Amino acid sequence: MPEGQITGQYPLAGEIIEAGSTVKIAVCKGPQLRTLPDIEGMTADEAVTALKALGFEPVQVAEVNDHVKVGCVIGYQSDSPGDALAHGAVVGILVSAESSGEDGE
């Protein structure tokens, strides 16, 4: 919901009140920012669960890495731990994968 939009009021619309009475309104402050946690070394499932709990939309990206156990998180694709992103932001996470062997390895 955009910043400044009225999200609710009391008394409710249509209620009759006396002239000069107070009407309370709730106004959206804009997207709530959340901080990305450190997910390096977690399993992909653990990282996805943690990120979804914070309101992010994680997307797994497979990447061959000889130093991180297969199925574990290498890190973020484009972001860093501690970055503040909006609720619902799509976050790419690099997950260690096995080499396909197609390049002669």
Side-chain angles (χ1 to χ4, degrees):
M1 194 170 285
E3 183 176 354
Q5 183 169 342
I6 296 175
T7 60
Q9 70 179 47
Y10 181 80
L12 299 175
E15 289 188 38
I16 298 173
I17 60 173
E18 293 182 25
S21 296
T22 300
V23 175
K24 296 180 181 182
I25 61 171
V27 180
C28 181
K29 294 180 183 178
Q32 297 293 318
L33 297 180
R34 288 163 167 66
T35 303
L36 286 175
D38 185 1
I39 58 171
E40 186 177 326
M42 289 183 177
T43 66
D45 288 342
E46 290 170 338
V48 167
T49 299
L51 291 168
K52 283 186 175 183
L54 291 170
F56 297 114
E57 292 296 328
V59 175
Q60 297 181 46
V61 179
E63 182 174 288
V64 176
N65 185 299
D66 296 333
H67 305 289
V68 178
K69 182 179 173 184
V70 172
C72 290
V73 176
I74 301 164
Y76 292 105
Q77 185 177 27
S78 302
D79 302 294
S80 299
D83 286 353
L85 301 177
H87 182 270
V90 175
V91 179
I93 57 172
L94 299 175
V95 180
S96 184
E98 293 184 57
S99 172
S100 64
E102 293 178 8
D103 59 357
E105 290 184 28

